Amino acid sequence: MKKLLLALPLVAVLTACSTNPTTGKSQFNALSREDEIQMGNQAAPELIKEMGGEVPDPDLRAYVVEVGQRLIPHTEADGPQRQWTFTLLNSDVINAFALPGEKVFMSRGLAAKLDNEAQLAAVLGHEVGHVMARHINDRVSQQLGAGIAGAVAGIVIGEVTDSDTVRQVAPIGLSIGSQVILLKFSRNQETEADTLGMRYMAKAGYDPIGALGVMQVLARESGPRGGPEILATHPYPETRIANIQRLLKGEYASTQGNPQFQTFADRYQQRFLSRVGALAPIAGDDRLLALLGPSHTWCGHCAAALHE
């Protein structure tokens, strides 16, 4: 009985749930808002350094911030009041990712592959979607839940001592480094972030067909793959393309051919592509590419690979 009572506080932790206003789903709150902000603040400098720093052109950086900030008023709940940052990284690795605490990153390598501003908005919106859906919290919750379940089972059957339990459970969810923060998202989370990104970009006046263009770029750049998709960390671009095409024909059918929703290709050419090509070549990304491989394209969380 004593062992069961010791287990009850751990079980009670699993009941700390709330409904996410972005997704409408019930979530276990492994991380508080303060935890998320602390994690993002602590990890951001290291990640920026590992990814080559920020792009040296202030106009390019400002343009990415401008596009990102157009999406934020259309986020849910307190999203518009949060302190969002959008960072353009001086790396040729094709990647984008987000940290908790409203920190969104995109590489110059990915941005240079895009054709218009709507595609840029789709990438940034996807990452904003990860933050608003609290996907990192969910990944930490999964680890925490597994650790608690093991600890409770150990207490009940008498295979661990009280101090063993503390040592087993306490570290879970408390690590702050990029290994924890940049946990690879599940295939369902990637699809959900695609859907949220389309929501935000359409509300901001962008043609959501930009999301389709991004996936086509990723399909072209991803290279050969092997093995069934069920074993892949992320959905193949072709799967995400099919989901986006379904949304374009359904929920966003009214945006197609509608002058209220634009891709802003000329503006992207003038304000980004014409300037990024003038930047000096980047040295050192060959190491990153060798470590990452093509399967880490977009939301592959390249900084985590550097620590493996």
Side-chain angles (χ1 to χ4, degrees):
M1 181 57 126
K2 178 180 178 182
K3 290 176 180 177
L4 182 59
L5 290 174
L6 287 171
L8 288 177
L10 297 176
V11 176
V13 173
L14 296 176
T15 65
C17 296
S18 63
T19 299
N20 187 310
T22 294
T23 64
K25 299 176 181 178
S26 179
Q27 288 180 304
F28 168 53
N29 299 312
L31 302 173
S32 67
R33 284 286 301 129
E34 291 74 18
D35 292 334
E36 292 181 336
I37 292 171
Q38 180 185 4
M39 291 171 77
N41 287 341
Q42 184 164 339
E46 179 184 358
L47 292 177
I48 292 172
K49 181 179 179 181
E50 289 175 346
M51 289 293 290
E54 296 187 49
V55 164
D57 187 326
D59 291 334
L60 290 178
R61 298 198 305 268
Y63 179 56
V64 170
V65 171
E66 180 183 318
V67 174
Q69 290 294 345
R70 286 201 184 102
L71 306 173
I72 299 309
H74 308 289
T75 57
E76 299 78 17
D78 66 339
Q81 285 74 53
R82 299 182 188 180
Q83 300 300 309
W84 293 85
T85 61
F86 296 89
T87 302
L88 181 62
L89 298 164
N90 198 33
S91 170
D92 279 338
V93 174
I94 298 174
N95 208 356
F97 55 91
L99 297 179
E102 295 71 55
K103 297 184 185 301
V104 175
F105 301 83
M106 182 176 184
S107 71
R108 138 187 177 183
L110 175 55
K113 297 289 184 180
L114 306 180
D115 298 320
N116 55 62
E117 190 174 299
Q119 292 176 0
L120 174 61
V123 174
L124 299 178
H126 173 101
E127 299 305 331
V128 169
H130 276 309
V131 175
M132 293 303 300
R134 303 194 69 209
H135 285 159
I136 291 177
N137 171 81
D138 287 348
R139 302 300 279 173
V140 172
S141 297
Q142 291 171 5
Q143 287 195 343
L144 179 61
I148 289 177
V152 170
I155 292 172
V156 171
I157 65 177
E159 290 186 354
V160 296
T161 67
D162 297 348
S163 59
D164 290 333
T165 303
V166 173
R167 285 195 295 269
Q168 181 177 350
V169 176
I172 301 175
L174 299 179
S175 299
I176 301 296
S178 59
Q179 283 283 14
V180 171
I181 293 176
L182 296 183
L183 292 168
K184 294 180 177 66
F185 295 131
S186 71
R187 291 177 294 128
N188 288 339
Q189 287 174 326
E190 292 294 347
T191 299
E192 185 169 59
D194 287 342
T195 301
L196 291 172
M198 292 178 71
R199 176 194 298 178
Y200 301 143
M201 67 185 296
K203 287 184 176 181
Y206 290 106
D207 188 337
I209 202 170
L212 179 62
V214 173
M215 286 301 111
Q216 291 169 337
V217 168
L218 297 183
R220 184 176 69 240
E221 298 293 328
S222 62
R225 296 182 301 268
E229 180 174 0
I230 192 66
L231 300 179
T233 303
H234 304 90
Y236 288 161
E238 293 83 359
T239 301
R240 296 166 76 175
I241 285 172
N243 179 63
I244 291 169
Q245 288 175 327
R246 177 182 58 80
L247 291 171
L248 289 173
K249 292 177 181 178
E251 182 177 349
Y252 297 104
S254 63
T255 67
Q256 300 308 285
N258 186 334
Q260 294 182 358
F261 301 89
Q262 296 288 324
T263 61
F264 303 105
D266 290 343
R267 189 160 69 191
Y268 195 68
Q269 173 63 41
Q270 294 168 5
R271 296 191 60 185
F272 192 90
L273 294 178
S274 64
R275 297 183 65 93
V276 75
L279 293 176
I282 300 171
D285 272 5
D286 287 345
R287 174 174 173 265
L288 280 166
L289 289 168
L291 283 165
L292 298 177
S295 65
H296 286 78
T297 302
W298 196 16
C299 284
H301 309 313
C302 50
L306 285 174
H307 291 284
E308 293 174 358

